[in-house]
PDB file of all heavy atoms in Angstrom:
ATOM      1  N   ASN A 930      -6.097  -1.687  -0.666  1.00  0.00           N
ATOM      2  CA  ASN A 930      -5.909  -0.113  -0.826  1.00  0.00           C
ATOM      3  C   ASN A 930      -4.442   0.147  -0.660  1.00  0.00           C
ATOM      4  O   ASN A 930      -4.009   1.259  -1.185  1.00  0.00           O
ATOM      5  CB  ASN A 930      -6.708   0.518   0.139  1.00  0.00           C
ATOM      6  CG  ASN A 930      -8.242   0.485  -0.153  1.00  0.00           C
ATOM      7  OD1 ASN A 930      -8.657  -0.410  -0.923  1.00  0.00           O
ATOM      8  ND2 ASN A 930      -8.979   1.265   0.477  1.00  0.00           N
ATOM      9  N   VAL A 931      -3.725  -0.643  -0.060  1.00  0.00           N
ATOM     10  CA  VAL A 931      -2.261  -0.378   0.129  1.00  0.00           C
ATOM     11  C   VAL A 931      -1.450  -0.981  -1.034  1.00  0.00           C
ATOM     12  O   VAL A 931      -0.573  -0.263  -1.638  1.00  0.00           O
ATOM     13  CB  VAL A 931      -1.730  -1.080   1.477  1.00  0.00           C
ATOM     14  CG1 VAL A 931      -0.261  -0.901   1.586  1.00  0.00           C
ATOM     15  CG2 VAL A 931      -2.442  -0.422   2.704  1.00  0.00           C
ATOM     16  N   LEU A 932      -1.864  -2.129  -1.496  1.00  0.00           N
ATOM     17  CA  LEU A 932      -0.988  -2.782  -2.507  1.00  0.00           C
ATOM     18  C   LEU A 932      -1.206  -2.146  -3.837  1.00  0.00           C
ATOM     19  O   LEU A 932      -0.318  -2.088  -4.613  1.00  0.00           O
ATOM     20  CB  LEU A 932      -1.434  -4.237  -2.540  1.00  0.00           C
ATOM     21  CG  LEU A 932      -1.306  -5.123  -1.388  1.00  0.00           C
ATOM     22  CD1 LEU A 932      -1.913  -6.525  -1.531  1.00  0.00           C
ATOM     23  CD2 LEU A 932       0.301  -5.326  -1.014  1.00  0.00           C
ATOM     24  N   GLY A 933      -2.503  -1.650  -4.225  1.00  0.00           N
ATOM     25  CA  GLY A 933      -2.681  -1.241  -5.550  1.00  0.00           C
ATOM     26  C   GLY A 933      -2.862  -2.391  -6.544  1.00  0.00           C
ATOM     27  O   GLY A 933      -3.142  -3.560  -6.154  1.00  0.00           O
ATOM     28  N   PHE A 934      -2.470  -2.143  -7.792  1.00  0.00           N
ATOM     29  CA  PHE A 934      -2.573  -3.209  -8.713  1.00  0.00           C
ATOM     30  C   PHE A 934      -1.737  -2.755  -9.938  1.00  0.00           C
ATOM     31  O   PHE A 934      -1.138  -1.631 -10.041  1.00  0.00           O
ATOM     32  CB  PHE A 934      -4.057  -3.389  -9.256  1.00  0.00           C
ATOM     33  CG  PHE A 934      -4.780  -2.081  -9.552  1.00  0.00           C
ATOM     34  CD1 PHE A 934      -4.664  -1.434 -10.836  1.00  0.00           C
ATOM     35  CD2 PHE A 934      -5.601  -1.398  -8.587  1.00  0.00           C
ATOM     36  CE1 PHE A 934      -5.338  -0.317 -11.209  1.00  0.00           C
ATOM     37  CE2 PHE A 934      -6.240  -0.266  -8.948  1.00  0.00           C
ATOM     38  CZ  PHE A 934      -6.085   0.318 -10.197  1.00  0.00           C
ATOM     39  N   VAL A 935      -1.559  -3.664 -10.948  1.00  0.00           N
ATOM     40  CA  VAL A 935      -0.817  -3.522 -12.187  1.00  0.00           C
ATOM     41  C   VAL A 935      -1.826  -3.657 -13.346  1.00  0.00           C
ATOM     42  O   VAL A 935      -2.927  -4.085 -13.232  1.00  0.00           O
ATOM     43  CB  VAL A 935       0.313  -4.654 -12.345  1.00  0.00           C
ATOM     44  CG1 VAL A 935       1.147  -4.595 -11.142  1.00  0.00           C
ATOM     45  CG2 VAL A 935      -0.428  -6.033 -12.388  1.00  0.00           C
ATOM     46  N   ASN A 936      -1.271  -3.109 -14.523  1.00  0.00           N
ATOM     47  CA  ASN A 936      -2.003  -3.255 -15.694  1.00  0.00           C
ATOM     48  C   ASN A 936      -1.680  -4.557 -16.529  1.00  0.00           C
ATOM     49  O   ASN A 936      -1.030  -5.400 -15.987  1.00  0.00           O
ATOM     50  CB  ASN A 936      -1.875  -1.979 -16.592  1.00  0.00           C
ATOM     51  CG  ASN A 936      -0.229  -1.902 -17.108  1.00  0.00           C
ATOM     52  OD1 ASN A 936       0.465  -2.837 -17.006  1.00  0.00           O
ATOM     53  ND2 ASN A 936       0.079  -0.756 -17.655  1.00  0.00           N
ATOM     54  N   SER A 937      -2.300  -4.631 -17.681  1.00  0.00           N
ATOM     55  CA  SER A 937      -2.099  -5.874 -18.423  1.00  0.00           C
ATOM     56  C   SER A 937      -0.726  -6.233 -18.743  1.00  0.00           C
ATOM     57  O   SER A 937      -0.336  -7.344 -19.077  1.00  0.00           O
ATOM     58  CB  SER A 937      -3.020  -5.815 -19.724  1.00  0.00           C
ATOM     59  OG  SER A 937      -2.442  -4.733 -20.506  1.00  0.00           O
ATOM     60  N   THR A 938       0.154  -5.187 -18.795  1.00  0.00           N
ATOM     61  CA  THR A 938       1.674  -5.481 -19.133  1.00  0.00           C
ATOM     62  C   THR A 938       2.494  -5.723 -17.853  1.00  0.00           C
ATOM     63  O   THR A 938       3.628  -5.725 -17.989  1.00  0.00           O
ATOM     64  CB  THR A 938       2.185  -4.328 -20.038  1.00  0.00           C
ATOM     65  OG1 THR A 938       2.222  -3.046 -19.161  1.00  0.00           O
ATOM     66  CG2 THR A 938       1.335  -4.051 -21.220  1.00  0.00           C
ATOM     67  N   GLY A 939       1.809  -5.668 -16.700  1.00  0.00           N
ATOM     68  CA  GLY A 939       2.571  -5.868 -15.461  1.00  0.00           C
ATOM     69  C   GLY A 939       3.230  -4.678 -14.899  1.00  0.00           C
ATOM     70  O   GLY A 939       4.145  -4.752 -14.076  1.00  0.00           O
ATOM     71  N   THR A 940       2.719  -3.423 -15.280  1.00  0.00           N
ATOM     72  CA  THR A 940       3.295  -2.270 -14.851  1.00  0.00           C
ATOM     73  C   THR A 940       2.360  -1.700 -13.714  1.00  0.00           C
ATOM     74  O   THR A 940       1.208  -1.656 -13.791  1.00  0.00           O
ATOM     75  CB  THR A 940       3.418  -1.177 -15.893  1.00  0.00           C
ATOM     76  OG1 THR A 940       4.219  -1.655 -16.895  1.00  0.00           O
ATOM     77  CG2 THR A 940       4.000   0.141 -15.320  1.00  0.00           C
ATOM     78  N   GLY A 941       3.011  -1.286 -12.501  1.00  0.00           N
ATOM     79  CA  GLY A 941       2.191  -0.769 -11.368  1.00  0.00           C
ATOM     80  C   GLY A 941       1.365   0.381 -11.722  1.00  0.00           C
ATOM     81  O   GLY A 941       2.001   1.318 -12.242  1.00  0.00           O
ATOM     82  N   LEU A 942       0.241   0.554 -11.292  1.00  0.00           N
ATOM     83  CA  LEU A 942      -0.667   1.642 -11.568  1.00  0.00           C
ATOM     84  C   LEU A 942      -1.099   2.439 -10.242  1.00  0.00           C
ATOM     85  O   LEU A 942      -1.459   3.499 -10.349  1.00  0.00           O
ATOM     86  CB  LEU A 942      -1.972   1.128 -12.304  1.00  0.00           C
ATOM     87  CG  LEU A 942      -1.795   0.636 -13.757  1.00  0.00           C
ATOM     88  CD1 LEU A 942      -3.065   0.582 -14.362  1.00  0.00           C
ATOM     89  CD2 LEU A 942      -0.941   1.800 -14.508  1.00  0.00           C
TER      90      LEU A 942
END
Side-chain angles (χ1 to χ4, degrees):
N930 291 16
V931 176
L932 298 173
F934 48 85
V935 301
N936 63 13
S937 60
T938 64
T940 301
L942 291 184

